[in-house]
mmCIF file of all heavy atoms in Angstrom:
data_model
loop_
_atom_site.group_PDB
_atom_site.id
_atom_site.type_symbol
_atom_site.label_atom_id
_atom_site.label_comp_id
_atom_site.label_asym_id
_atom_site.label_seq_id
_atom_site.Cartn_x
_atom_site.Cartn_y
_atom_site.Cartn_z
ATOM 1 N N VAL A 1 -19.579 -2.045 -13.066
ATOM 2 C CA VAL A 1 -20.373 -1.097 -12.355
ATOM 3 C C VAL A 1 -20.042 0.288 -12.871
ATOM 4 O O VAL A 1 -18.862 0.590 -13.152
ATOM 5 C CB VAL A 1 -20.196 -1.214 -10.851
ATOM 6 C CG1 VAL A 1 -18.756 -0.837 -10.436
ATOM 7 C CG2 VAL A 1 -21.220 -0.380 -10.061
ATOM 8 N N TYR A 2 -21.064 1.150 -12.912
ATOM 9 C CA TYR A 2 -20.871 2.501 -13.434
ATOM 10 C C TYR A 2 -21.303 3.506 -12.346
ATOM 11 O O TYR A 2 -22.137 3.221 -11.486
ATOM 12 C CB TYR A 2 -21.729 2.742 -14.695
ATOM 13 C CG TYR A 2 -21.481 1.699 -15.791
ATOM 14 C CD1 TYR A 2 -22.308 0.612 -15.913
ATOM 15 C CD2 TYR A 2 -20.459 1.887 -16.687
ATOM 16 C CE1 TYR A 2 -22.101 -0.328 -16.924
ATOM 17 C CE2 TYR A 2 -20.237 0.962 -17.709
ATOM 18 C CZ TYR A 2 -21.071 -0.142 -17.797
ATOM 19 O OH TYR A 2 -20.855 -1.058 -18.812
ATOM 20 N N LEU A 3 -20.765 4.675 -12.470
ATOM 21 C CA LEU A 3 -21.167 5.781 -11.628
ATOM 22 C C LEU A 3 -21.366 6.992 -12.524
ATOM 23 O O LEU A 3 -20.363 7.569 -12.979
ATOM 24 C CB LEU A 3 -20.136 6.082 -10.515
ATOM 25 C CG LEU A 3 -20.573 7.159 -9.541
ATOM 26 C CD1 LEU A 3 -21.745 6.683 -8.676
ATOM 27 C CD2 LEU A 3 -19.416 7.553 -8.640
ATOM 28 N N GLN A 4 -22.603 7.342 -12.756
ATOM 29 C CA GLN A 4 -22.919 8.541 -13.529
ATOM 30 C C GLN A 4 -22.952 9.717 -12.558
ATOM 31 O O GLN A 4 -23.760 9.731 -11.633
ATOM 32 C CB GLN A 4 -24.234 8.374 -14.252
ATOM 33 C CG GLN A 4 -24.679 9.577 -15.057
ATOM 34 C CD GLN A 4 -23.790 9.845 -16.255
ATOM 35 O OE1 GLN A 4 -23.417 8.917 -16.977
ATOM 36 N NE2 GLN A 4 -23.404 11.113 -16.421
ATOM 37 N N MET A 5 -22.119 10.671 -12.785
ATOM 38 C CA MET A 5 -21.982 11.821 -11.914
ATOM 39 C C MET A 5 -22.408 13.091 -12.698
ATOM 40 O O MET A 5 -21.744 13.489 -13.657
ATOM 41 C CB MET A 5 -20.542 11.960 -11.410
ATOM 42 C CG MET A 5 -20.038 10.726 -10.708
ATOM 43 S SD MET A 5 -18.417 10.988 -9.970
ATOM 44 C CE MET A 5 -17.418 11.239 -11.425
ATOM 45 N N ASN A 6 -23.509 13.678 -12.257
ATOM 46 C CA ASN A 6 -23.976 14.882 -12.885
ATOM 47 C C ASN A 6 -23.925 16.061 -11.929
ATOM 48 O O ASN A 6 -23.862 15.898 -10.720
ATOM 49 C CB ASN A 6 -25.469 14.663 -13.311
ATOM 50 C CG ASN A 6 -25.630 13.607 -14.366
ATOM 51 O OD1 ASN A 6 -24.780 13.439 -15.207
ATOM 52 N ND2 ASN A 6 -26.785 12.911 -14.288
ATOM 53 N N ASN A 7 -23.951 17.258 -12.513
ATOM 54 C CA ASN A 7 -23.873 18.483 -11.744
ATOM 55 C C ASN A 7 -22.737 18.440 -10.710
ATOM 56 O O ASN A 7 -22.917 18.678 -9.529
ATOM 57 C CB ASN A 7 -25.216 18.740 -11.066
ATOM 58 C CG ASN A 7 -25.335 20.136 -10.489
ATOM 59 O OD1 ASN A 7 -24.690 21.056 -10.980
ATOM 60 N ND2 ASN A 7 -26.184 20.287 -9.479
ATOM 61 N N LEU A 8 -21.581 18.144 -11.216
ATOM 62 C CA LEU A 8 -20.408 17.998 -10.333
ATOM 63 C C LEU A 8 -20.040 19.311 -9.643
ATOM 64 O O LEU A 8 -20.185 20.370 -10.239
ATOM 65 C CB LEU A 8 -19.168 17.478 -11.104
ATOM 66 C CG LEU A 8 -19.250 15.983 -11.409
ATOM 67 C CD1 LEU A 8 -18.339 15.633 -12.563
ATOM 68 C CD2 LEU A 8 -18.890 15.177 -10.177
ATOM 69 N N GLU A 9 -19.621 19.175 -8.402
ATOM 70 C CA GLU A 9 -19.241 20.315 -7.603
ATOM 71 C C GLU A 9 -17.782 20.202 -7.223
ATOM 72 O O GLU A 9 -17.212 19.093 -7.213
ATOM 73 C CB GLU A 9 -20.081 20.375 -6.340
ATOM 74 C CG GLU A 9 -21.581 20.428 -6.591
ATOM 75 C CD GLU A 9 -22.442 20.256 -5.343
ATOM 76 O OE1 GLU A 9 -21.834 19.888 -4.275
ATOM 77 O OE2 GLU A 9 -23.629 20.415 -5.444
ATOM 78 N N PRO A 10 -17.100 21.304 -6.887
ATOM 79 C CA PRO A 10 -15.678 21.208 -6.488
ATOM 80 C C PRO A 10 -15.468 20.222 -5.293
ATOM 81 O O PRO A 10 -14.420 19.605 -5.238
ATOM 82 C CB PRO A 10 -15.362 22.630 -6.087
ATOM 83 C CG PRO A 10 -16.245 23.455 -6.954
ATOM 84 C CD PRO A 10 -17.548 22.702 -7.032
ATOM 85 N N GLU A 11 -16.454 20.160 -4.447
ATOM 86 C CA GLU A 11 -16.353 19.218 -3.322
ATOM 87 C C GLU A 11 -16.327 17.752 -3.731
ATOM 88 O O GLU A 11 -16.003 16.897 -2.919
ATOM 89 C CB GLU A 11 -17.497 19.468 -2.326
ATOM 90 C CG GLU A 11 -17.443 20.799 -1.639
ATOM 91 C CD GLU A 11 -17.945 21.961 -2.493
ATOM 92 O OE1 GLU A 11 -18.546 21.689 -3.579
ATOM 93 O OE2 GLU A 11 -17.662 23.124 -2.148
ATOM 94 N N ASP A 12 -16.714 17.473 -4.966
ATOM 95 C CA ASP A 12 -16.705 16.087 -5.451
ATOM 96 C C ASP A 12 -15.292 15.629 -5.928
ATOM 97 O O ASP A 12 -15.116 14.449 -6.207
ATOM 98 C CB ASP A 12 -17.646 15.907 -6.629
ATOM 99 C CG ASP A 12 -19.102 16.148 -6.245
ATOM 100 O OD1 ASP A 12 -19.507 15.668 -5.148
ATOM 101 O OD2 ASP A 12 -19.803 16.789 -7.010
ATOM 102 N N ALA A 13 -14.370 16.515 -6.001
ATOM 103 C CA ALA A 13 -13.033 16.197 -6.514
ATOM 104 C C ALA A 13 -12.342 15.217 -5.595
ATOM 105 O O ALA A 13 -12.495 15.232 -4.354
ATOM 106 C CB ALA A 13 -12.217 17.454 -6.698
ATOM 107 N N GLY A 14 -11.524 14.355 -6.189
ATOM 108 C CA GLY A 14 -10.785 13.388 -5.411
ATOM 109 C C GLY A 14 -10.471 12.179 -6.261
ATOM 110 O O GLY A 14 -10.796 12.121 -7.465
ATOM 111 N N VAL A 15 -9.898 11.179 -5.612
ATOM 112 C CA VAL A 15 -9.640 9.925 -6.260
ATOM 113 C C VAL A 15 -10.767 8.955 -5.955
ATOM 114 O O VAL A 15 -11.114 8.753 -4.790
ATOM 115 C CB VAL A 15 -8.274 9.335 -5.830
ATOM 116 C CG1 VAL A 15 -8.052 7.948 -6.517
ATOM 117 C CG2 VAL A 15 -7.143 10.268 -6.131
ATOM 118 N N TYR A 16 -11.357 8.420 -6.981
ATOM 119 C CA TYR A 16 -12.463 7.501 -6.851
ATOM 120 C C TYR A 16 -12.004 6.087 -6.998
ATOM 121 O O TYR A 16 -11.341 5.737 -7.982
ATOM 122 C CB TYR A 16 -13.546 7.831 -7.874
ATOM 123 C CG TYR A 16 -14.391 9.058 -7.508
ATOM 124 C CD1 TYR A 16 -13.808 10.327 -7.520
ATOM 125 C CD2 TYR A 16 -15.754 8.932 -7.156
ATOM 126 C CE1 TYR A 16 -14.523 11.432 -7.161
ATOM 127 C CE2 TYR A 16 -16.477 10.025 -6.832
ATOM 128 C CZ TYR A 16 -15.901 11.282 -6.810
ATOM 129 O OH TYR A 16 -16.629 12.413 -6.456
ATOM 130 N N TYR A 17 -12.367 5.242 -6.045
ATOM 131 C CA TYR A 17 -11.944 3.867 -6.006
ATOM 132 C C TYR A 17 -13.113 2.946 -6.119
ATOM 133 O O TYR A 17 -14.133 3.124 -5.451
ATOM 134 C CB TYR A 17 -11.194 3.565 -4.685
ATOM 135 C CG TYR A 17 -9.964 4.344 -4.475
ATOM 136 C CD1 TYR A 17 -10.002 5.567 -3.773
ATOM 137 C CD2 TYR A 17 -8.710 3.908 -4.958
ATOM 138 C CE1 TYR A 17 -8.874 6.292 -3.550
ATOM 139 C CE2 TYR A 17 -7.579 4.634 -4.730
ATOM 140 C CZ TYR A 17 -7.635 5.824 -4.013
ATOM 141 O OH TYR A 17 -6.508 6.571 -3.778
ATOM 142 N N CYS A 18 -12.989 1.918 -6.918
ATOM 143 C CA CYS A 18 -13.995 0.883 -7.043
ATOM 144 C C CYS A 18 -13.710 -0.231 -6.044
ATOM 145 O O CYS A 18 -12.527 -0.561 -5.783
ATOM 146 C CB CYS A 18 -13.956 0.300 -8.445
ATOM 147 S SG CYS A 18 -15.181 -0.966 -8.768
ATOM 148 N N ASN A 19 -14.746 -0.754 -5.445
ATOM 149 C CA ASN A 19 -14.598 -1.821 -4.482
ATOM 150 C C ASN A 19 -15.641 -2.902 -4.786
ATOM 151 O O ASN A 19 -16.769 -2.602 -5.185
ATOM 152 C CB ASN A 19 -14.848 -1.298 -3.057
ATOM 153 C CG ASN A 19 -14.929 -2.392 -2.021
ATOM 154 O OD1 ASN A 19 -15.973 -2.893 -1.684
ATOM 155 N ND2 ASN A 19 -13.759 -2.798 -1.514
ATOM 156 N N ALA A 20 -15.207 -4.150 -4.609
ATOM 157 C CA ALA A 20 -16.095 -5.265 -4.801
ATOM 158 C C ALA A 20 -15.913 -6.246 -3.671
ATOM 159 O O ALA A 20 -14.805 -6.582 -3.257
ATOM 160 C CB ALA A 20 -15.827 -5.974 -6.129
ATOM 161 N N GLU A 21 -17.018 -6.696 -3.095
ATOM 162 C CA GLU A 21 -17.001 -7.733 -2.035
ATOM 163 C C GLU A 21 -17.500 -9.022 -2.654
ATOM 164 O O GLU A 21 -18.622 -9.125 -3.127
ATOM 165 C CB GLU A 21 -17.877 -7.352 -0.869
ATOM 166 C CG GLU A 21 -17.867 -8.381 0.229
ATOM 167 C CD GLU A 21 -18.826 -8.030 1.346
ATOM 168 O OE1 GLU A 21 -18.462 -7.215 2.194
ATOM 169 O OE2 GLU A 21 -19.931 -8.613 1.374
ATOM 170 N N LEU A 22 -16.606 -10.018 -2.685
ATOM 171 C CA LEU A 22 -16.951 -11.308 -3.231
ATOM 172 C C LEU A 22 -17.282 -12.329 -2.161
ATOM 173 O O LEU A 22 -16.644 -12.363 -1.103
ATOM 174 C CB LEU A 22 -15.771 -11.816 -4.093
ATOM 175 C CG LEU A 22 -15.778 -11.379 -5.559
ATOM 176 C CD1 LEU A 22 -15.593 -9.857 -5.670
ATOM 177 C CD2 LEU A 22 -14.715 -12.113 -6.353
ATOM 178 N N ASP A 23 -18.264 -13.136 -2.412
ATOM 179 C CA ASP A 23 -18.766 -14.141 -1.520
ATOM 180 C C ASP A 23 -18.272 -15.541 -2.013
ATOM 181 O O ASP A 23 -18.690 -15.963 -3.065
ATOM 182 C CB ASP A 23 -20.308 -14.109 -1.440
ATOM 183 C CG ASP A 23 -20.837 -15.091 -0.422
ATOM 184 O OD1 ASP A 23 -20.100 -15.884 0.167
ATOM 185 O OD2 ASP A 23 -22.090 -15.048 -0.221
ATOM 186 N N TYR A 24 -17.405 -16.167 -1.196
ATOM 187 C CA TYR A 24 -16.891 -17.486 -1.576
ATOM 188 C C TYR A 24 -17.520 -18.602 -0.795
ATOM 189 O O TYR A 24 -17.088 -19.731 -0.811
ATOM 190 C CB TYR A 24 -15.340 -17.486 -1.387
ATOM 191 C CG TYR A 24 -14.632 -16.674 -2.417
ATOM 192 C CD1 TYR A 24 -14.397 -15.351 -2.189
ATOM 193 C CD2 TYR A 24 -14.244 -17.239 -3.620
ATOM 194 C CE1 TYR A 24 -13.719 -14.593 -3.172
ATOM 195 C CE2 TYR A 24 -13.602 -16.511 -4.568
ATOM 196 C CZ TYR A 24 -13.359 -15.147 -4.333
ATOM 197 O OH TYR A 24 -12.707 -14.380 -5.322
ATOM 198 N N GLY A 25 -18.631 -18.285 -0.108
ATOM 199 C CA GLY A 25 -19.404 -19.312 0.590
ATOM 200 C C GLY A 25 -18.938 -19.478 2.032
ATOM 201 O O GLY A 25 -17.835 -19.137 2.400
ATOM 202 N N LEU A 26 -19.843 -20.012 2.841
ATOM 203 C CA LEU A 26 -19.581 -20.290 4.242
ATOM 204 C C LEU A 26 -19.065 -19.059 5.029
ATOM 205 O O LEU A 26 -18.183 -19.181 5.876
ATOM 206 C CB LEU A 26 -18.625 -21.450 4.378
ATOM 207 C CG LEU A 26 -19.071 -22.808 3.814
ATOM 208 C CD1 LEU A 26 -17.999 -23.851 3.924
ATOM 209 C CD2 LEU A 26 -20.374 -23.272 4.494
ATOM 210 N N GLY A 27 -19.616 -17.912 4.661
ATOM 211 C CA GLY A 27 -19.255 -16.710 5.397
ATOM 212 C C GLY A 27 -17.893 -16.133 5.050
ATOM 213 O O GLY A 27 -17.395 -15.283 5.792
ATOM 214 N N LYS A 28 -17.307 -16.599 3.981
ATOM 215 C CA LYS A 28 -15.989 -16.094 3.587
ATOM 216 C C LYS A 28 -16.162 -14.968 2.569
ATOM 217 O O LYS A 28 -16.661 -15.206 1.451
ATOM 218 C CB LYS A 28 -15.093 -17.210 3.025
ATOM 219 C CG LYS A 28 -14.746 -18.265 4.042
ATOM 220 C CD LYS A 28 -13.857 -19.338 3.451
ATOM 221 C CE LYS A 28 -12.487 -18.782 3.147
ATOM 222 N NZ LYS A 28 -11.719 -18.405 4.351
ATOM 223 N N PHE A 29 -15.744 -13.784 2.925
ATOM 224 C CA PHE A 29 -15.889 -12.618 2.060
ATOM 225 C C PHE A 29 -14.509 -11.982 1.805
ATOM 226 O O PHE A 29 -13.643 -11.987 2.728
ATOM 227 C CB PHE A 29 -16.774 -11.612 2.684
ATOM 228 C CG PHE A 29 -18.143 -12.124 3.018
ATOM 229 C CD1 PHE A 29 -18.467 -12.507 4.304
ATOM 230 C CD2 PHE A 29 -19.146 -12.205 2.050
ATOM 231 C CE1 PHE A 29 -19.731 -13.004 4.644
ATOM 232 C CE2 PHE A 29 -20.408 -12.714 2.329
ATOM 233 C CZ PHE A 29 -20.683 -13.089 3.633
ATOM 234 N N PHE A 30 -14.326 -11.470 0.640
ATOM 235 C CA PHE A 30 -13.063 -10.839 0.305
ATOM 236 C C PHE A 30 -13.373 -9.551 -0.434
ATOM 237 O O PHE A 30 -14.212 -9.490 -1.316
ATOM 238 C CB PHE A 30 -12.193 -11.734 -0.605
ATOM 239 C CG PHE A 30 -11.746 -13.015 0.080
ATOM 240 C CD1 PHE A 30 -12.539 -14.109 0.041
ATOM 241 C CD2 PHE A 30 -10.535 -13.033 0.747
ATOM 242 C CE1 PHE A 30 -12.156 -15.300 0.607
ATOM 243 C CE2 PHE A 30 -10.123 -14.191 1.391
ATOM 244 C CZ PHE A 30 -10.921 -15.363 1.333
#
């Protein structure tokens, strides 16, 4: 997954974390 960030502002500064939710079936998510 990509995040194209244009016209960055000082308020955008910080640590950016990637998150993924995986589906293992029968309502089990991680």
